[in-house]
Amino acid sequence: CIRDSMKTGVADLRNTRIKPIVEEVAPGVIALGKLIGKTFQGQVLIALFNAGFTLFALWLIGVEYKFVLAMVVFVFSFIPVLGVILSGIPICAIAVLQPDGSLMMALQVVIAVAIIHLIEGMILSPRIIGKIGHLHPVLVIAILLISEHFFGMWGLVLGVPVAIYIIRVVILRSPIPGIYEPDEQAEIVPKETG
């Protein structure tokens, strides 16, 4: 298991000259890794919601290949902001090119995708990701806006977990339940025996 080999590697570093650095840095790095993993799990949940909402909207509008298109939406939901546009292109193309398709149907698709994106951006992401890091949804939206402005797509992907870590662990020195609890530090980097 990768996790076990990483723990062993960190434990082996305790026997070197950089032991003080390892003991200081390792718990924080591990906590940040856990936080990024939890955020990714939240993104999977958001992608499922996006795919489900899209499937329902395509069923209402009458677009063909709705299950395949919903899977496309699921996959592209992992690309912040740009994913909505990329997944909307094939949906609009099918809405125009299917036998009973039209520009009006494509317009309905664009409206549905815009509404789903608003629900995701203003309600789902802030609540789900905010709950993971125990931050207020409005603060999550602000973090996303600022990190995207300064760091682009990487800011959207990593901005929230890094900000949660900085706010909760570095500034407030408070635990993040299930991710970082100061009492766990002794378990993260095992002590030497004997």
Side-chain angles (χ1 to χ4, degrees):
C1 177
I2 294 173
R3 184 177 175 186
D4 292 337
S5 64
M6 286 178 63
K7 280 186 177 182
T8 304
V10 170
D12 289 345
L13 287 174
R14 291 180 56 92
N15 299 325
T16 66
R17 289 184 211 170
I18 61 170
K19 177 181 176 178
I21 297 170
V22 170
E23 289 179 343
E24 181 71 29
V25 174
V29 171
I30 291 170
L32 182 59
K34 284 182 181 178
L35 193 54
I36 291 170
K38 285 279 192 184
T39 304
F40 183 75
Q41 289 174 349
Q43 191 60 43
V44 169
L45 187 58
I46 292 166
L48 285 170
F49 277 117
N50 284 347
F53 289 148
T54 301
L55 181 63
F56 180 70
L58 297 180
W59 174 74
L60 283 178
I61 296 168
V63 177
E64 294 178 355
Y65 310 111
K66 52 190 152 287
F67 290 103
V68 173
L69 294 171
M71 287 302 297
V72 169
V73 168
F74 176 80
V75 171
F76 280 98
S77 290
F78 292 96
I79 304 171
V81 182
L82 190 59
V84 173
I85 297 166
L86 292 175
S87 66
I89 293 170
I91 297 173
C92 288
I94 296 293
V96 171
L97 298 175
Q98 70 184 36
D100 61 341
S102 66
L103 287 177
M104 187 60 178
M105 186 178 279
L107 179 62
Q108 291 173 335
V109 165
V110 168
I111 291 169
V113 168
I115 291 170
I116 292 167
H117 182 61
L118 280 173
I119 292 170
E120 177 208 338
M122 302 305 283
I123 299 170
L124 291 178
S125 285
R127 288 187 185 264
I128 292 171
I129 304 301
K131 187 174 182 180
I132 289 168
H134 301 276
L135 289 180
H136 194 279
V138 174
L139 184 57
V140 173
I141 292 172
I143 290 168
L144 285 171
L145 291 172
I146 293 168
S147 62
E148 190 274 332
H149 177 76
F150 287 106
F151 303 106
M153 187 181 300
W154 285 108
L156 290 171
V157 173
L158 297 174
V160 173
V162 169
I164 290 170
Y165 179 80
I166 290 170
I167 292 168
R168 296 295 301 265
V169 177
V170 176
I171 296 172
L172 299 176
R173 301 214 180 266
S174 68
I176 304 171
I179 296 172
Y180 174 77
E181 298 183 23
D183 297 336
E184 289 182 354
Q185 287 184 7
E187 296 174 18
I188 291 173
V189 181
K191 300 278 186 206
E192 293 177 4
T193 56

